[in-house]
Amino acid sequence: MHQLMTVLILAFFALFCLPSPSSALPAVTDKDVESNEALLALYKQWLALHKPHEKGNLGSIGGSWLRKFPVFKENTLYIHAGNKRGNVSYRLGQNKFADLSNEEFRAIYTQSHKGFLRQGSGDRKLHSFVYEKVTEPLPKSVDWREKGAVTHVKNQGLCGSCWAFSTIAAVEGINRIKTGDLIPLSEQELVDCDARNGGCNGGFMDEAFQFIVENGGISSEAEYPYTGTDNQCDPAKKEMQMVVIDGYEDVPENNEEALIKAVAHQPVSVAIDAGSMDFMFYEEGPFSGSCETFLNHGVSVVGYGETNDRAQYWIVKNSWGTDWGEEGYIRMKRSKLDPKEGLCGINMYASYPLKTSPNSTLSILYQQPLGRKSGQFHSS
């Protein structure tokens, strides 16, 4: 063991002459995984890109870099093997999670260890579904980003607030559709002030919609910015309601056609199982990887489409920043072969806000940065 440790340290010191990458790492090759030395070289590049502050510990025996190398190695081998599979429509990449075990990832970035997202129909009673009687043909594809109804991709950080980001994305979308204004809204207000939910310890999108209704609206992101921590509710900021909604509805469970109808009309909040290794390291392409239906992560469906070979998919906005997936998004495959719950349980727990009331006068004064009118904002 001591001899192996010495070899690893010497090999790592030899890598200091290598240039540090300035952009995302290229795909893992056979040469990258042929030896510990090659894997260490790759690890050094990854650290320089994702954790430049770790450089001071690179030579220290027992430093964090050395403790995490076995995890990085295991993940890299998994990513490499996954990308060599035939008949797979998506690719995996060495993203910012590459030095986390799957257990660590799930504990930090999903709610699987908290059990906050409900798992069945017993907790939800469908009272109405406004799109149930839609009869006109639905478009073959919808992308609410192209319609200016989706704000920038955000990052929840180390706070288990995915439920708040899912809720806010849906409210931002319906507000743009109804008023023409795209206003980034405050997830932090939900984290701090929504007593029904658990802040950074998880929550429910339905409960968050109800909070916004009862609070008389939700503040803007600019007025109540995100900190990624549980704080005391700020009553002054809480009272600066920028956008109003009038209620919410649940999409009928395990009903893909109902979800399509809803997404055709507005962005929709959904819960999924995001805890698999394939989801963790997703980089690009229509995702069809392994996952269960233990709902542990809130996201928003902002459209649907199909590839040139007619593979259908959902367009899903995540809250892990733009350095995950397709600049913060994942395309999740739809298939008639999927069980009624949908891939990763996407059909199980969907809801959306309702809006008919006008906003407060604060929204009239709202301007995007650099003098752009909010209705002209376009998110790529």
Side-chain angles (χ1 to χ4, degrees):
M1 179 66 181
H2 176 74
Q3 184 177 8
L4 175 61
M5 183 79 71
T6 302
V7 169
L8 292 178
I9 293 171
L10 290 175
F12 208 85
F13 274 122
L15 297 172
F16 277 103
C17 60
L18 293 176
S20 294
S22 58
S23 59
L25 294 179
V28 181
T29 66
D30 291 340
K31 189 173 181 179
D32 289 327
V33 299
E34 66 182 8
S35 66
N36 270 330
E37 289 78 8
L39 283 161
L40 278 166
L42 197 61
Y43 186 36
K44 193 261 182 177
Q45 294 178 55
W46 182 89
L47 280 172
L49 179 63
H50 292 286
K51 295 190 175 181
H53 60 280
E54 297 276 346
K55 284 185 176 180
N57 295 326
L58 295 183
S60 106
I61 296 175
S64 61
W65 68 269
L66 191 57
R67 293 197 307 271
K68 283 293 189 177
F69 174 68
V71 176
F72 177 87
K73 176 181 176 180
E74 182 180 349
N75 288 337
T76 299
L77 293 174
Y78 180 90
I79 291 165
H80 181 59
N83 286 340
K84 295 189 75 172
R85 292 173 293 186
N87 248 355
V88 176
S89 59
Y90 63 99
R91 290 188 60 79
L92 307 178
Q94 284 180 304
N95 59 28
K96 60 187 176 184
F97 303 135
D99 70 339
L100 295 177
S101 69
N102 186 246
E103 291 74 20
E104 290 172 322
F105 166 78
R106 292 170 67 93
I108 297 169
Y109 293 99
T110 78
Q111 299 184 58
S112 58
H113 67 302
K114 305 179 184 80
F116 241 83
L117 290 178
R118 289 169 275 192
Q119 299 302 310
S121 59
D123 295 298
R124 306 176 83 211
K125 296 180 180 179
L126 185 67
H127 297 291
S128 62
F129 178 52
V130 70
Y131 302 120
E132 181 177 10
K133 296 182 180 179
V134 169
T135 57
E136 70 268 18
L138 298 175
K140 288 187 177 180
S141 64
V142 170
D143 189 339
W144 287 107
R145 296 172 298 179
E146 295 178 353
K147 299 174 183 290
V150 183
T151 61
H152 58 282
V153 170
K154 305 179 186 182
N155 193 340
Q156 70 186 72
L158 302 181
C159 172
S161 53
C162 60
W163 58 275
F165 285 85
S166 173
T167 300
I168 289 298
V171 175
E172 290 169 341
I174 194 62
N175 183 64
R176 172 66 171 88
I177 292 166
K178 295 294 186 179
T179 71
D181 292 326
L182 184 65
I183 303 174
L185 299 173
S186 176
E187 292 84 9
Q188 192 64 44
E189 181 178 343
L190 294 179
V191 171
D192 292 350
C193 305
D194 181 3
R196 288 186 178 87
N197 285 313
C200 288
N201 289 312
F204 305 93
M205 287 77 83
D206 285 5
E207 302 287 8
F209 288 136
Q210 188 61 33
F211 167 82
I212 296 173
V213 173
E214 294 178 3
N215 188 55
I218 187 79
S219 301
S220 71
E221 182 179 51
E223 292 293 342
Y224 205 144
Y226 189 67
T227 66
T229 56
D230 287 311
N231 308 309
Q232 290 290 326
C233 180
D234 187 322
K237 294 178 180 178
K238 178 174 174 281
E239 294 305 314
M240 298 190 69
Q241 298 98 337
M242 183 71 70
V243 169
V244 172
I245 61 172
D246 299 283
Y248 71 92
E249 290 184 336
D250 295 326
V251 178
E253 291 183 8
N254 304 328
N255 187 329
E256 184 180 90
E257 290 305 311
L259 184 55
I260 293 170
K261 285 182 178 181
V263 175
H265 291 85
Q266 64 185 99
V268 173
S269 295
V270 298
I272 58 173
D273 176 4
S276 72
M277 291 278 283
D278 282 4
F279 201 97
M280 177 179 177
F281 295 118
Y282 169 78
E283 183 171 84
E284 63 180 4
F287 178 77
S288 58
S290 62
C291 53
E292 303 297 331
T293 56
F294 183 85
L295 306 181
N296 53 35
H297 188 52
V299 291
S300 52
V301 181
V302 298
Y304 58 83
E306 63 181 34
T307 63
N308 291 334
D309 58 359
R310 297 186 177 181
Q312 297 178 320
Y313 57 82
W314 300 110
I315 304 169
V316 177
K317 182 185 183 185
N318 204 350
S319 53
W320 293 341
T322 57
D323 52 355
W324 176 88
E326 295 181 331
E327 297 187 349
Y329 292 87
I330 180 171
R331 286 179 289 161
M332 296 181 64
K333 266 194 171 180
R334 294 168 42 212
S335 171
K336 292 181 179 178
L337 299 178
D338 287 338
K340 62 183 180 179
E341 294 87 356
L343 183 64
C344 304
I346 197 169
N347 298 335
M348 294 175 64
Y349 188 91
S351 54
Y352 54 88
L354 301 170
K355 180 173 176 60
T356 55
S357 299
N359 293 325
S360 71
T361 54
L362 287 175
S363 66
I364 299 173
L365 303 175
Y366 181 82
Q367 295 278 326
Q368 286 288 340
L370 304 180
R372 292 178 296 179
K373 294 286 187 180
S374 56
Q376 295 173 324
F377 180 86
H378 176 70
S379 176
S380 59

